[in-house]
Amino acid sequence: MTLERRSFLAGAAALGVAAASQAEAQTAVMQMVAMYGTIGKMTARGGQRDALAAILMRAIPGMPGCLSYIVANDPADANALWITEVWETKEAHSRSLSLPAVRAAIAKARPLIAGMQTITETVPIGGQGLKTAG
């Protein structure tokens, strides 16, 4: 059976539209239930990285809406930490900053911090340990 070029192109175009519509619908659903993430770099005052990391990690348990909070040493900078966070929503992240345990951790950590930098905000879609959106 020979398929005419026009018929083939029309069918391919229709499939492309259907795929685009499905992708748009999936994107819309993900935006409604989008997780919120940040990746930031924190630099401790000389020799204080481990103490700073300990304070940050003690503040983690019990933060409502927090799906993942990773504190990692920077192997290239003895004073730097990378903090990767995933939250149910951006609002959950904002609310966490008013929690007594988080406020106490910030107060305790502040004298140990030489600098802080948010590298980027992200929209996590899933991965090991996270439920996928959709």
Side-chain angles (χ1 to χ4, degrees):
M1 178 173 184
T2 306
L3 185 62
E4 290 183 26
R5 184 173 188 269
R6 247 186 221 149
S7 297
F8 174 78
L9 291 176
L15 286 174
V17 169
S21 297
Q22 182 180 5
E24 288 170 1
Q26 190 172 20
T27 299
V29 168
M30 287 174 61
Q31 287 174 343
M32 288 189 291
V33 295
M35 290 181 274
Y36 173 76
T38 64
I39 301 171
K41 183 177 183 180
M42 190 176 290
T43 304
R45 297 196 183 279
Q48 296 297 311
R49 179 172 74 178
D50 291 345
L52 179 57
I55 291 168
L56 295 174
M57 291 175 26
R58 276 195 299 272
I60 295 169
M63 290 192 295
C66 183
L67 302 175
S68 177
Y69 189 97
I70 307 296
V71 178
N73 288 334
D74 185 329
D77 183 342
N79 293 313
L81 295 168
W82 288 93
I83 298 99
T84 306
E85 304 176 47
V86 178
W87 294 83
E88 289 176 350
T89 63
K90 187 171 186 171
E91 292 74 25
H93 175 260
S94 294
R95 284 190 305 271
S96 75
L97 299 175
S98 65
L99 294 172
V102 172
R103 294 182 62 78
I106 291 170
K108 190 171 183 179
R110 188 170 282 131
L112 306 180
I113 300 170
M116 266 180 13
Q117 177 180 9
T118 296
I119 303 304
T120 192
E121 291 183 331
T122 65
V123 180
I125 58 172
Q128 180 65 37
L130 293 179
K131 293 180 182 178
T132 56

